[in-house]
């Protein structure tokens, strides 16, 4: 038990040997970025073609979201992943709290309660919880020095992934809950 608590309590220094993120542009996979941008352009052209006769401004709205996505990508690229790992436990607990709160306070659509509505914008806390779960699992499993996990460590991994999985299934969002199963690196054969 002490080994498990040490794994979460040992300090992660997000600034130790952290190179400048913008200086790492040379390591960026430019082919992958070009492919994503090409798919974005194809998607925008498809939206323009499909909505040409509607005149509802779908293309403008999509362009705004593409711009917001590019800004979010640059912000994410500038953040050192070690900072996120250092915050993995608070992020995880915040994600669990948000998924718990969406059950009584969320917006019901399509038979599921999985969104918070703020004006015309919907926020799905289960997406945040999935990402926070991945961070916490990465932090827990990165400290593992043995080749195989002990039964206790398997239990911790299953609990980390199982709590948000159960809460998301209660919304019910079975697709989101099933996606969390893919984060668990345990094969039962």
């Amino acid at each position: 038990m002490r080994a498990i608590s040490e794994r979460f309590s040992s300090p992660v220094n997000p600034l130790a040997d952290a190179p400048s993120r913008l200086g790492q542009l040379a390591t960026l996979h430019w082919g992958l970025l070009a492919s994503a941008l090409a798919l974005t352009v194809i998607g925008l052209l498809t939206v323009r073609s499909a909505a040409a006769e509607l005149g509802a401004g779908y293309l403008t709205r999509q362009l705004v979201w593409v711009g917001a996505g590019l800004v979010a990508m640059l912000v994410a690229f500038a953040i050192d992943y070690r900072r996120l790992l250092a915050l993995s436990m608070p992020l995880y607990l915040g994600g669990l709290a948000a998924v718990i709160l969406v059950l009584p306070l969320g917006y019901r659509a399509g038979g599921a309660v999985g969104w918070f509505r703020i004006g015309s914008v919907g926020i799905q806390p289960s997406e945040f919880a999935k990402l926070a779960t991945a961070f916490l699992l990465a932090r827990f499993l990165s400290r593992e020095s043995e080749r195989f996990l002990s039964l206790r460590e398997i239990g911790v991994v299953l609990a980390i992934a199982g709590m948000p999985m159960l809460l998301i299934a209660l919304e019910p969002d079975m697709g989101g809950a099933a996606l969390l199963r893919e984060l668990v690196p345990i094969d039962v054969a």
Side-chain angles (χ1 to χ4, degrees), residues 80-97:
D80 188 0
Y81 74 93
R82 290 172 282 205
R83 289 181 187 212
L84 293 175
L85 287 180
L87 296 172
S88 61
M89 185 60 85
L91 290 173
Y92 177 77
L93 294 175
L96 283 180

Side-chain angles (χ1 to χ4, degrees), residues 102-142:
V102 81
L103 293 172
L105 303 175
Y107 176 75
R108 179 172 293 280
V113 180
W115 296 79
F116 288 121
R117 299 284 292 178
I118 301 171
S120 63
V121 177
I123 297 172
Q124 192 173 16
S126 63
E127 295 301 320
F128 175 75
K130 287 185 255 185
L131 189 59
T133 301
F135 287 143
L136 188 62
L137 283 172
R139 181 172 179 188
F140 179 75
L141 294 171
S142 70

Side-chain angles (χ1 to χ4, degrees), residues 21-22 68-80 84:
R21 297 295 290 169
L22 296 179
L70 288 172
V71 168
M73 180 194 73
L74 290 173
V75 168
F77 186 72
I79 296 172
D80 188 0
L84 293 175

Side-chain angles (χ1 to χ4, degrees), residues 144-162:
E144 185 54 46
S145 60
E146 299 294 322
R147 180 177 170 155
F148 298 102
L149 296 174
S150 70
L151 286 176
R152 181 174 284 155
E153 292 164 335
I154 290 172
V156 170
V157 167
L158 291 175
I160 290 170

Side-chain angles (χ1 to χ4, degrees), residues 168-180:
I168 292 170
L170 289 175
E171 293 179 1
D173 178 7
M174 296 306 168
L179 183 66
L180 275 167

Side-chain angles (χ1 to χ4, degrees), residues 8-127:
F8 287 116
S9 64
S10 63
V12 175
N13 185 353
L15 300 177
D17 302 323
S20 169
R21 297 295 290 169
L22 296 179
Q24 290 186 345
L25 284 176
T27 64
L28 186 65
H29 296 280
W30 291 101
L32 183 62
L33 180 61
S35 299
L37 290 175
L39 284 172
T40 301
V41 169
I42 291 169
L44 287 171
L45 292 174
T46 303
V47 167
R48 180 177 176 262
S49 173
E53 295 188 22
L54 297 177
Y58 291 111
L59 180 63
T60 305
R61 188 177 334 156
Q62 289 300 312
L63 283 170
V64 167
W65 284 113
V66 166
L70 288 172
V71 168
M73 180 194 73
L74 290 173
V75 168
F77 186 72
I79 296 172
D80 188 0
Y81 74 93
R82 290 172 282 205
R83 289 181 187 212
L84 293 175
L85 287 180
L87 296 172
S88 61
M89 185 60 85
L91 290 173
Y92 177 77
L93 294 175
L96 283 180
V99 173
I100 289 170
L101 286 174
V102 81
L103 293 172
L105 303 175
Y107 176 75
R108 179 172 293 280
V113 180
W115 296 79
F116 288 121
R117 299 284 292 178
I118 301 171
S120 63
V121 177
I123 297 172
Q124 192 173 16
S126 63
E127 295 301 320

